[in-house]
Amino acid sequence: MTEASTRPRIGVLAIQGDYAAHAEALAAHGAEPVEVRKPEELAGLDGLILPGGESTTMLKFLAKHHFFEALKEYCNHHPVFGTCAGAILLAREVRNPAQLSLGVLDAVVERNAYGRQIDSAILTAPTELAGGPLEMVFIRAPRIVEVGAEVRVLAQRDGFPVLVRQGNVMAATFHPELSADRRVHRLFVELVTAAASKPHLEH
Ligand code: GLN
């Protein structure tokens, strides 16, 4: 954040998926959303959202545009929030099948873990967030099958974490941008705002 502005600038990786809905949710909480398609567009951002989509397609795009390493470097030093395919990209290990990931979230993630028949679902369930049960939209969702000791589980589905936070890294296996309830984005904007006021962030 610059001194002149108290609005955090939060990037949304705009390769595919519903990045426009993420941008809207960020703007609703006073952040300035910025679409990111190239490594140089990460400069000056206070945080970044990695939206859902197909993680394999996103990986291909990142490789083709020499963007993977720059993204990894960014994610290691700034607040980041991955939803669905974005959560897959952030994980330490990906299964079903194994694939490359950024490794900034101490979690093992299994892709397409709910099977073909029940791959999409909308659940409303209690979470650690204040304000009552949260609507969660799952679309060909991954499952977080293991988390490290530093990872806080904020919501679960069938006993598996679906919303987690590890310091300045957040991940959701559902799509908070598709619900009218903006509490998850609000939490990320708060986290980015707090981190931006501390000059030398490491996580
Ligand atoms: N099934 C997708 C993947 O494995 C994730 C789905 C999503 O982001 N909605 O990458």
Side-chain angles (χ1 to χ4, degrees):
M1 264 187 295
T2 58
E3 299 229 348
S5 144
T6 50
R7 278 183 92 197
R9 296 183 75 230
I10 302 183
V12 184
L13 195 63
I15 297 173
Q16 57 156 205
D18 39 13
Y19 49 84
H22 279 289
E24 255 179 60
L26 290 172
H29 285 294
E32 181 190 339
V34 180
E35 290 184 7
V36 173
R37 293 184 182 83
K38 298 180 199 148
E40 52 277 24
E41 289 169 343
L42 292 171
L45 295 179
D46 297 308
L48 181 71
I49 289 185
L50 287 74
E54 267 308 313
S55 53
T56 47
T57 309
M58 288 157 91
L59 281 171
K60 276 182 202 148
F61 178 95
L62 293 171
K64 189 171 162 205
H65 298 271
H66 309 287
F67 195 172
F68 187 84
E69 284 307 320
L71 185 62
K72 188 169 175 171
E73 174 64 22
Y74 184 88
C75 292
N76 269 303
H77 298 97
H78 298 84
V80 286
F81 177 26
T83 61
C84 207
I88 297 171
L89 291 181
L90 290 179
R92 165 169 63 80
E93 186 187 327
V94 180
R95 295 182 186 157
N96 191 35
Q99 68 187 28
L100 192 65
S101 57
L102 298 163
V104 291
L105 175 70
D106 188 5
V108 179
V109 173
E110 225 176 80
R111 296 181 58 211
N112 301 319
Y114 293 92
R116 292 227 172 121
Q117 304 305 315
I118 48 156
D119 59 1
S120 299
I122 300 178
L123 304 182
T124 300
T127 73
E128 297 292 311
L129 305 180
L134 180 76
E135 180 185 270
M136 297 181 259
V137 179
F138 294 90
I139 305 169
R140 300 192 68 224
R143 181 183 274 153
I144 297 174
V145 292
E146 265 178 59
V147 289
E150 303 291 300
V151 178
R152 228 179 105 197
V153 177
L154 303 178
Q156 299 187 10
R157 173 182 178 184
D158 302 333
F160 292 94
V162 292
L163 177 64
V164 297
R165 175 176 174 183
Q166 179 186 0
N168 285 313
V169 179
M170 273 174 61
T173 61
F174 57 95
H175 285 259
E177 77 284 6
L178 297 182
S179 295
D181 190 326
R182 296 299 192 209
R183 278 178 288 163
V184 179
H185 284 84
R186 186 167 75 207
L187 176 64
F188 185 59
V189 173
E190 284 168 4
L191 192 151
V192 171
T193 306
S197 63
K198 296 182 202 129
H200 299 294
L201 168 71
E202 289 289 336
H203 62 233

